[in-house]
Amino acid sequence: MELSRLSRRAFSALAGTTVLGLALGGSVNSQALPRSGARGPVPTGPPPGPPGADGVRHRVALDRYSLLVDGRRLALWSGEMHPFRLPSPSLWRDVLQKMRAYGYNAVSARLAWNQHSPAPGEYDFSGVRDLDLFLRTAVETRMYVVLRPGPYIGADVDAGGLPGWLTATEGTARTLDPAFLRHADEWLSRVNAVAARHQYTHGTGTVLLYQVDAPQRARLTRLHDRLRADGIDVPLLHADTPVAWGEAERTRDAAEARRVHLDHLAHGVTLHNVHTAFGGTSWGWLPAPSAPTPTYDPTAAIDEARRPTAGLAPLHQLGQLLRHVPDFTRLDEAPEVRAADARIKVRHLANPDTGTHAYVARNDSATDVTSTLPMGGTDVEVTVPARDAKLFATGLHLGAGRKLAYATVQPMLSLSVGRLDVAAFVGRAGESAHLVLDCPHEPWPTRLDEEAAWAYDHGKLHITVPLGKDRVTRLRVRSGESDRTLILLVADDAASLRLWPYETPSGRVLVHGPALLRDVALDGATIRLTGDTVEERGLEVWAPRGITHVTWNGEPVEASVGRAQSLMAVWPLPGVPELVLPALDGWRRRTENPESGPGYDDSGWTVADRRTSHSTTPVPDGQPVLFADDYGFHYGDVWYRGRLTGAADLESVSLAYSTGARGMLMAWLDGEPLGTHRMGRGDDGGEGTWTATAAFRLPEELRTALREKHRENPDAGAAVLSVLVRRTQHDQDAYKAARGLTSAAFEGASPRVEWRIRGAAAPDPVRGPLNNGGLYGERWGWHLPGYDDGGWESVSPASFPREERRQGVTWYRTTFRLDVPPDVDASIGLVLDGGPDRDHRAQVFLNGWNMGECAGDDPAGAPHTFVLPNGILRTRAAANTLALAVLAGGEAASGPGAPRLVLLGSAAGGVPVKPVASPGRRRD
C-alpha cells in the first residue's frame, strides 16, 4: 500500500486552490478555479462527463480535495493494466470495457521499454506494441489514461522494463549519467511522439496524467523540461508529488481490498489506483526474477483469463460510488467519533457543501464485531466482519428532498434516470440491512420484493432488508408532494456485480441482470444494449423517458414496464452454449542440442575473448568475459563451447554461473554428459540474481578416453566443453549483474581454453526481442507454424512423461483446431502437470509465440495453466501449432504430463477479435 508522503494534516493545510500545473507542471487555466477573492474552493457538483476525443481543449487543475476537469471535481478511480501483458490488441478493448463497466474511469498503463527496443536506436510500435492503437481504444471505451512509460517501471518485468542491450552500455540507469540520459531521452521522445497526439488537454485523446520515473529531484527538473519540449502538457505525477495518490499493492481478497481502499478514502485520497485491475501474463522472457510463474498477479480483480474474480465486488462498488456520488470528491476531516467497541476504528469525514458525512469503520481483529456507532445523532448498531471494513454515510441526498439519515450498509450509487431517482446500497449476504430516510412529506412506500419491510414514524422511513445470496431487493417510494419516484435497491456483493450504471448523451441508464454491460446506445425509442451473459439471466432497464424498446447484442428483447418503472424482459437472456475442447494428440518428438557434440561446427559463433565489461559483476582475474549480455545475447538460453588444449589429465570441471530464479546449467565434455545444475526457485522474490558453481567430476571412462586420445596422438584436437545455460531474467534493480557463465576452473590439468558463445538469433520482427532464446530448435524455427516436422518421431499423449533419462533438449509439436461460435468469447488454457520428480523446464510456444516457462519440479506437484489469448489462439476452425521445448537433466523421468486444453471461462458476447500476426518458418 502506498500513499503520498504528505501526512493528512499537511495535505489538509495546502491552499484550497493549489494548482496541479504549479505543483506538477501540468496544464493550467485559471478559469477552472475560483476567481481571485472568491470564497473557498470549487463546490461539490456533478462530475465531468465521460472523456473522449471531442476536439475541445480541456482544463485540468487540482485543489486540496481532488482533480478539477473543466472546473468540475473528478475522483480518479484508476486501474492498472499493462498492454504488453496481453499480446492481442483486440482484447485490449475487452479489458478496458470491463474496467469501465466495473466502475473504473481511468486506466494506468505502464510501457515496457524492453518490449519496444531490440537494440540501441531501434524502436517498434507496431503489432502488439501499438501504443497509438491502445490510446485510441481508450478513447473509444471512454477511459482516461494515466501513462507510465518509465524508463524504469518495475512491475516484475525483466530489468524493470529497461532493455537488455542497456546492460552492456556505459552509464547507470535512473541517474543523471549522460550515457543513460542519452538513451532514456530517446525512448521517451519516441513515446511522447505518440502520447502528445492523445492528450485530453488538447481534446485529441484521453491521456490525463503522465507519471514519470524521477528518483532524484534534479532528474525531475530535467524530465519536466524534456517532456514539455516534446509537447507533453498534461500534469506530471512523480515520487514527490504533493498530492495524496493512493496506490494499493496486491490485495489477497475482497476484505483486504475494502480495508485498503476505504482507508485511502478516509485519508483524503481522491486519486486512487488499483494495482492490479487486470493481471495478464508475463509471456516469453518478460518476467523478472521476482515473478515465479508467467501469471503476473493471481490476485487481480480481473484475472489473466479476463474473468472477474471474488475480489472485484468492493472495487466495483467503490468505483461506482466515486463516479456517481460527487459528495465523496470533497471531504474534510470531521469531529472524532468512536464505536462502543474499541476494536472498531472509525474515521469521520464530512462534505462541507452537501452535509454528507462518511464513516469508515475498520476491524483489524480476527472476529466479527457488532457495536454501536454514533451516526447523524443516533447510536446505530453495526457489524464489521473480521479483518474487514465498511463505509457508512449520513445526510446523503437521494432526490426530491429525501435524505439518508443513516444506513447499516454501504451506498453504491445515487443517480437520476428520467423522472426516477435510483439509489443502491450493498452489503454482505446474510446481513440484515437497515436504512433510515428523512422524508419531508409522508411517503408512499411500495414493496416490490417480498424481502423488504418498512415503517414510517416521525418523518423517518425505516426500511429493513435481509440480504440474500445474489439477490437484489427493490422498494419504491413516492409522495404526494413530488412527481419524482425513488427506487431503492439493496444487494449483496454478488448481486452488485450485475448492476450496471451507464452515462449516455441523453441521460443516465441503469441495467440489472447480465454478466456484463459493455455499451449503451439510445436510438429513438429503442435502447440498444451490448454485453455478455454466462448463464440465463433476467434483464431490467431503467432508461430516460421515451424509451419503449430494448435490443440485446442486436436482437430485439420482448419487454414490458414493471412495478419499479423499469423495462423488464419477458424472457431471460440466454446463457452461453457448452463448448467441447479437442484432446491434444498427434504429437511428434525430436531431440536436439547438437551443440553438445565435439564435431559440431561453431565457426560462426561469437568468440568470447573480451577482457572488460560494463557489468557490475567483476571479471575474474586471468579469464575472458563470458557474460552473455556483453555479446548481445540478452534473453533466453545461451550456449558456450570451449576448446580445451592440454586437457589430457583433466579430472573435474567447475563452472561458475549467474542467472535469475530457476536458472539451469548443463555441461558436456566431448559429447558426454557431465551433469545438470539448477538454481533456486525464487518464489519469495527476495533475490534478483542467483550465483552458484556447478562442479562436475569426470567419469572414469571419460578420463581414460582423454588420456588415450592424447597418448595415441599428442597433436590431436582439443577436447570440447559444451555448456547450456538457461540464464533467465535480469534483476529489476541490479540490472547489470551478469547472466550466463562467469568463469571456469579445472582440476588435474590447466588447459588453455578458447571460448565461443551463441544465443538467440536476430529478434523476431513480429513477436519482438523477448520471444526467442538460443536453443537450436528456436534458431531453426522448430517453434514456428509451417515447420515441416513430418520426419519427427510420433508420440502418444500416454507416453508423457517420457521414461527416458536424457540430459538435453527435447521438442514436442502438435496441431489442433477449435470451433468456437463467433458470438462466444471463450478463454482457453493449456495445462502442464508438475511434480517433485519432474526434472525439466518447459517452454510453451503457441503459433510461434512464447507463452512462458514452467518448472516441472514444483514440490507441491501443482500443475501450471498457461492462458492462451484469443487472437494468438485461433478459435474459429483454423489450425493452431503448439510446440514445447523441454530442458531436462538425466536423473529422473522428464517431460510434462499429458498436456491438455481446459476451458477457463466463456460468455455469450465478447468483442470482435482479429488474428495476431503469427508468421511461420520461411521455406528454404
Side-chain angles (χ1 to χ4, degrees):
M1 180 173 62
E2 181 180 316
L3 279 169
S4 162
R5 289 189 174 88
L6 270 67
S7 67
R8 169 69 182 176
R9 182 176 180 182
F11 177 70
S12 298
L14 291 174
T17 57
T18 299
V19 179
L20 189 58
L22 298 178
L24 308 177
S27 173
V28 182
N29 187 309
S30 61
Q31 295 179 8
L33 301 171
R35 296 180 181 177
S36 179
R39 284 187 167 183
V42 173
T44 303
D54 54 12
V56 177
R57 295 191 71 88
H58 294 279
R59 301 160 296 176
V60 181
L62 180 85
D63 66 9
R64 67 187 175 98
Y65 295 105
S66 71
L67 272 171
L68 298 168
V69 175
D70 296 328
R72 297 186 177 190
R73 294 200 175 280
L74 175 69
L76 194 76
W77 185 250
S78 168
E80 191 151 322
M81 172 200 177
H82 305 157
F84 56 83
R85 283 197 159 101
L86 183 55
S88 179
S90 300
L91 296 182
W92 295 342
R93 180 180 303 276
D94 174 70
V95 173
L96 289 175
Q97 285 184 344
K98 286 174 177 172
M99 288 176 63
R100 175 165 177 78
Y102 287 119
Y104 298 98
N105 57 14
V107 56
S108 174
R110 301 193 201 205
L111 307 180
W113 184 2
N114 55 12
Q115 190 199 26
H116 294 268
S117 183
E122 294 183 21
Y123 292 90
D124 186 351
F125 287 86
S126 65
V128 299
R129 297 163 293 277
D130 193 339
L131 175 61
D132 190 81
L133 174 59
F134 179 79
L135 296 178
R136 293 200 312 270
T137 305
V139 171
E140 292 163 5
T141 53
R142 306 196 300 173
M143 293 282 282
Y144 291 112
V145 176
V146 180
L147 197 64
R148 307 175 73 171
Y152 174 89
I153 62 170
D156 289 338
V157 173
D158 183 282
L162 302 175
W165 54 261
L166 196 68
T167 64
T169 62
E170 293 181 330
T172 302
R174 310 190 76 199
T175 69
L176 292 174
D177 190 311
F180 167 69
L181 292 177
R182 182 173 64 255
H183 296 304
D185 284 352
E186 185 176 55
W187 158 244
L188 291 177
S189 68
R190 299 298 183 99
V191 171
N192 296 340
V194 179
R197 302 195 301 267
H198 294 273
Q199 296 180 95
Y200 188 65
T201 48
H202 294 199
T204 54
T206 57
V207 176
L208 183 71
L209 299 171
Y210 189 113
Q211 187 160 4
V212 297
D213 170 37
Q216 303 157 322
R217 171 59 62 178
R219 174 145 171 75
L220 174 62
T221 302
R222 190 183 182 282
L223 268 173
H224 174 276
D225 296 340
R226 166 79 266 167
L227 298 176
R228 295 305 178 234
D230 286 345
I232 300 298
D233 62 12
V234 296
L236 308 182
L237 297 176
H238 54 84
D240 292 322
T241 296
V243 180
W245 168 262
E247 181 166 7
E249 293 301 326
R250 298 171 180 176
T251 53
R252 293 184 297 271
D253 52 32
E256 185 177 17
R258 259 187 296 268
R259 289 203 315 274
V260 169
H261 292 290
L262 289 179
D263 188 61
H264 285 176
L265 183 69
H267 285 84
V269 174
T270 56
L271 302 181
H272 301 263
N273 190 56
V274 176
H275 180 97
T276 309
F278 166 71
T281 302
S282 298
W283 56 275
W285 296 110
L286 180 68
S290 52
T293 71
T295 300
Y296 170 53
D297 184 356
T299 69
I302 302 173
D303 69 14
E304 64 175 323
R306 300 176 290 112
R307 303 169 300 178
T309 66
L312 186 56
L315 306 178
H316 175 61
Q317 295 159 8
L318 189 52
Q320 303 295 357
L321 178 72
L322 294 176
R323 178 188 292 181
H324 297 286
V325 184
D327 305 62
F328 294 90
T329 60
R330 185 185 176 195
L331 293 172
D332 284 324
E333 197 166 357
E336 181 182 16
V337 299
R338 295 183 179 182
D341 191 316
R343 288 176 295 175
I344 297 180
K345 308 300 181 184
V346 183
R347 189 87 173 176
H348 181 203
L349 308 163
N351 185 299
D353 301 322
T354 65
T356 296
H357 288 245
Y359 306 81
V360 175
R362 175 170 173 155
N363 173 17
D364 292 329
S365 74
T367 59
D368 296 356
V369 176
T370 298
S371 176
T372 56
L373 175 65
M375 291 194 293
T378 304
D379 287 340
V380 181
E381 186 178 272
V382 299
T383 299
V384 183
R387 297 189 178 93
D388 208 330
K390 281 189 175 182
L391 171 65
F392 305 109
T394 65
L396 184 65
H397 290 267
L398 302 178
R402 305 177 184 100
K403 186 186 296 185
L404 179 68
Y406 62 84
T408 62
V409 283
Q410 177 175 311
M412 174 176 166
L413 57 85
S414 178
L415 48 84
S416 295
V417 182
R419 289 184 177 176
L420 297 176
D421 297 315
V422 183
F425 292 82
V426 290
R428 274 49 130 211
E431 293 181 335
S432 181
H434 184 199
L435 295 85
V436 179
L437 275 58
D438 287 323
C439 298
H441 306 286
E442 184 170 356
W444 304 338
T446 303
R447 184 173 59 187
L448 304 179
D449 295 289
E450 292 299 321
E451 296 81 14
W454 61 270
Y456 180 71
D457 182 43
H458 292 88
K460 295 186 183 297
L461 178 64
H462 294 256
I463 301 164
T464 57
V465 177
L467 293 178
K469 178 66 176 176
D470 198 10
R471 188 173 64 200
V472 173
T473 300
R474 301 163 301 161
L475 187 83
R476 186 179 67 207
V477 181
R478 297 173 175 170
S479 74
E481 304 298 326
S482 173
D483 62 353
R484 298 194 64 80
T485 297
L486 173 65
I487 303 295
L488 281 175
L489 309 175
V490 185
D492 74 320
D493 283 350
S496 74
L497 290 171
R498 295 186 291 107
L499 285 172
W500 309 108
Y502 197 97
E503 301 115 308
T504 78
S506 300
R508 294 184 177 182
V509 170
L510 180 63
V511 175
H512 168 233
L516 181 70
L517 180 69
R518 294 183 180 272
D519 199 12
V520 176
L522 302 182
D523 181 9
T526 301
I527 183 168
R528 303 189 183 279
L529 308 176
T530 304
D532 296 358
T533 57
V534 174
E535 54 190 9
E536 284 193 356
R537 286 286 187 180
L539 175 67
E540 186 171 14
V541 182
W542 289 271
R545 297 178 63 190
I547 298 298
T548 57
H549 294 79
V550 182
T551 68
W552 176 257
N553 290 343
E555 297 295 326
V557 174
E558 185 178 351
S560 60
V561 177
R563 299 172 66 199
Q565 299 185 22
S566 57
L567 287 170
M568 301 189 69
V570 174
W571 308 105
L573 299 177
V576 64
E578 182 179 359
L579 296 178
V580 177
L581 301 180
L584 294 176
D585 51 21
W587 288 96
R588 291 183 177 274
R589 170 183 178 269
R590 182 176 177 182
T591 59
E592 53 133 292
N593 55 278
E595 302 94 335
S596 64
Y600 181 82
D601 181 7
D602 59 17
S603 59
W605 288 24
T606 301
V607 176
D609 59 359
R610 297 187 178 187
R611 295 293 167 176
T612 61
S613 171
H614 293 298
S615 173
T616 55
T617 301
V619 179
D621 292 339
Q623 298 210 29
V625 175
L626 296 176
F627 314 153
D629 287 298
D630 285 73
Y631 298 96
F633 305 121
H634 307 300
Y635 307 109
D637 302 294
V638 62
W639 275 98
Y640 297 85
R641 282 171 59 86
R643 297 188 180 277
L644 279 57
T645 303
D649 296 320
L650 187 63
E651 297 178 356
S652 67
V653 176
S654 295
L655 301 171
Y657 71 118
S658 175
T659 75
R662 288 190 166 100
M664 175 184 277
L665 178 147
M666 299 180 183
W668 295 259
L669 186 65
D670 278 350
E672 294 299 320
L674 295 181
T676 299
H677 189 277
R678 298 163 194 78
M679 291 291 188
R681 295 171 52 80
D683 290 3
D684 59 0
E687 294 189 55
T689 295
W690 295 63
T691 59
T693 298
F696 303 113
R697 186 165 184 82
L698 274 60
E700 185 60 38
E701 308 85 56
L702 182 55
R703 294 172 59 189
T704 300
L706 289 176
R707 290 193 297 267
E708 290 180 353
K709 178 180 178 181
H710 178 75
R711 184 172 58 250
E712 293 174 0
N713 184 358
D715 298 323
V720 177
L721 176 63
S722 300
V723 183
L724 173 62
V725 180
R726 172 142 289 187
R727 33 152 308 137
T728 62
Q729 319 94 327
H730 299 91
D731 187 5
Q732 291 189 103
D733 298 319
Y735 70 101
K736 284 194 172 185
R739 290 296 184 265
L741 276 185
T742 55
S743 67
F746 307 94
E747 290 186 5
S750 300
R752 182 171 61 88
V753 187
E754 295 178 353
W755 288 102
R756 290 180 181 265
I757 183 172
R758 186 71 163 92
D764 188 308
V766 172
R767 300 173 179 92
L770 293 145
N771 197 74
N772 297 354
L775 296 180
Y776 181 90
E778 291 176 289
R779 305 198 307 267
W780 287 93
W782 292 10
H783 61 300
L784 296 175
Y787 178 81
D788 185 5
D789 57 15
W792 291 22
E793 174 191 1
S794 294
V795 179
S796 165
S799 66
F800 287 97
R802 301 284 296 185
E803 291 301 324
E804 176 187 13
R805 270 67 167 166
R806 176 184 180 272
Q807 175 178 293
V809 185
T810 305
W811 283 77
Y812 301 87
R813 281 173 56 98
T814 190
T815 59
F816 64 93
R817 292 177 183 269
L818 299 170
D819 190 14
V820 178
D823 58 348
V824 171
D825 177 14
S827 185
I828 294 168
L830 172 73
V831 177
L832 297 183
D833 289 331
D837 61 338
R838 300 284 169 80
D839 174 22
H840 71 259
R841 305 284 189 269
Q843 205 75 20
V844 175
F845 295 89
L846 175 66
N847 295 325
W849 288 85
N850 187 339
M851 294 289 99
E853 177 210 55
C854 75
D857 57 350
D858 187 329
H864 181 77
T865 300
F866 292 84
V867 176
L868 308 178
N870 296 344
I872 289 178
L873 179 68
R874 310 296 197 242
T875 61
R876 315 293 190 214
N880 293 281
T881 298
L882 181 62
L884 307 179
V886 181
L887 279 65
E891 302 90 351
S894 63
R900 60 191 183 278
L901 298 176
V902 293
L903 183 64
L904 302 175
S906 62
V911 298
V913 177
K914 294 181 180 179
V916 177
S918 302
R921 185 177 185 276
R922 291 177 294 179
R923 300 291 183 181
D924 295 331

